[in-house]
Amino acid sequence: MEFNQTEISKLAGHKLLNDWEKGFIESVIGQLEKGYKISHNQERIIKRCFDKTSEDEMKKLEEWEGKYDDKKRKIAKIIAEYYTEAGYFTNWAAKILANPDTYILPEKTWVKMCENKYAKKVLANMEAPKLFEIGGLATVRKAIGHNHLIAAQATSRFHYSKMKNQTVMVLDYEVKPAQHKVVKCALLLDPTIVFTCEERRLKKHRG
């Protein structure tokens, strides 16, 4: 199948093409402007781009854009912030956070990024009530590991094994998307020892 420059130019910058495909089309157009022919492999990719931007696909896009309401934008922003820190979907996350009020994730990307089990945990955690009050007491669980508590400052007086079953004061909750709520605590016996941990590493204080 042969394509002429006029036909291919219609694909330039098309919003249904990804960044690589857009760059490829621009390269092919430049190639044709210089009088060079396109290869069979290039024709195959061009055909794929035409299939991807067909009328049916455009209708699907319009329907998706109509469904992309404020609730989806809010979810996308929360998940983008989560994945920015987690180190996944970083390119998509950057696009969302650069223009949270206008950018629309492609539908397939939305499903992969915002409807996976990790994203669902993050959203559920955001909606879940806090288990402890600021200024209240809690007890560090016995079953904690070395990476479950993070000291605010390095000190020889802090060691995770010494914190087991200790009473702490809840100082604050970190405000960021995560699979579990993160709490800032101070050891009741020595308030200079401050650390953060996931809420699930604490249990209700029985005083």
Side-chain angles (χ1 to χ4, degrees):
M1 180 181 291
E2 293 187 1
F3 301 97
N4 59 48
Q5 186 175 337
T6 301
E7 290 175 320
I8 296 173
S9 294
K10 294 177 182 178
L11 293 172
H14 200 290
K15 61 182 179 180
L16 278 174
L17 300 181
N18 60 38
D19 291 342
W20 184 88
E21 290 164 337
K22 290 175 182 177
F24 170 80
I25 293 299
E26 290 294 337
S27 176
V28 169
I29 291 172
Q31 183 179 325
L32 291 172
E33 288 175 345
K34 293 177 182 179
Y36 296 108
K37 292 184 177 180
I38 56 180
S39 68
H40 290 299
N41 188 50
Q42 286 175 317
E43 285 183 351
R44 179 179 61 81
I45 298 173
I46 292 168
K47 183 181 182 304
R48 186 182 72 193
C49 289
F50 273 113
D51 291 341
K52 193 174 179 180
T53 58
S54 66
E55 287 187 15
D56 286 343
E57 293 302 319
M58 284 299 296
K59 287 180 181 178
K60 290 179 183 178
L61 175 62
E62 290 175 4
E63 290 175 0
W64 172 244
E65 289 179 340
K67 296 176 184 177
Y68 209 92
D69 55 13
D70 289 342
K71 182 179 179 180
K72 278 188 166 54
R73 291 189 188 282
K74 181 180 178 181
I75 291 172
K77 187 173 183 293
I78 290 170
I79 299 305
E81 290 173 350
Y82 168 71
Y83 278 122
T84 296
E85 185 162 331
Y88 298 96
F89 296 103
T90 51
N91 289 337
W92 293 110
K95 291 179 180 180
I96 293 167
L97 297 177
N99 298 286
D101 296 327
T102 57
Y103 185 73
I104 297 177
L105 269 177
E107 186 172 9
K108 290 181 180 179
T109 305
W110 167 273
V111 173
K112 291 178 181 178
M113 184 175 176
C114 299
E115 295 186 4
N116 64 65
K117 63 180 181 179
Y118 303 107
K120 289 178 179 178
K121 283 184 179 181
V122 170
L123 295 173
N125 180 51
M126 295 291 286
E127 295 294 328
K130 296 173 181 176
L131 297 182
F132 305 101
E133 293 183 4
I134 305 300
L137 300 181
T139 302
V140 180
R141 292 184 181 277
K142 185 177 181 180
I144 55 171
H146 67 91
N147 61 340
H148 291 161
L149 310 180
I150 302 174
Q153 292 183 333
T155 172
S156 60
R157 290 177 295 123
F158 175 87
H159 191 277
Y160 82 95
S161 62
K162 296 178 181 179
M163 300 299 113
K164 296 180 179 182
N165 290 322
Q166 291 296 311
T167 301
V168 297
M169 177 177 286
V170 176
L171 302 178
D172 203 359
Y173 274 82
E174 288 191 1
V175 182
K176 65 176 183 179
Q179 292 186 45
H180 304 280
K181 296 188 188 303
V182 177
V183 187
K184 185 177 182 181
C185 306
L187 186 64
L188 195 63
L189 293 176
D190 184 355
T192 63
I193 296 179
V194 178
F195 60 89
T196 58
C197 66
E198 292 179 346
E199 186 184 59
R200 59 181 176 158
R201 306 302 175 191
L202 305 175
K203 60 184 179 180
K204 290 185 177 182
H205 176 64
R206 307 293 182 185

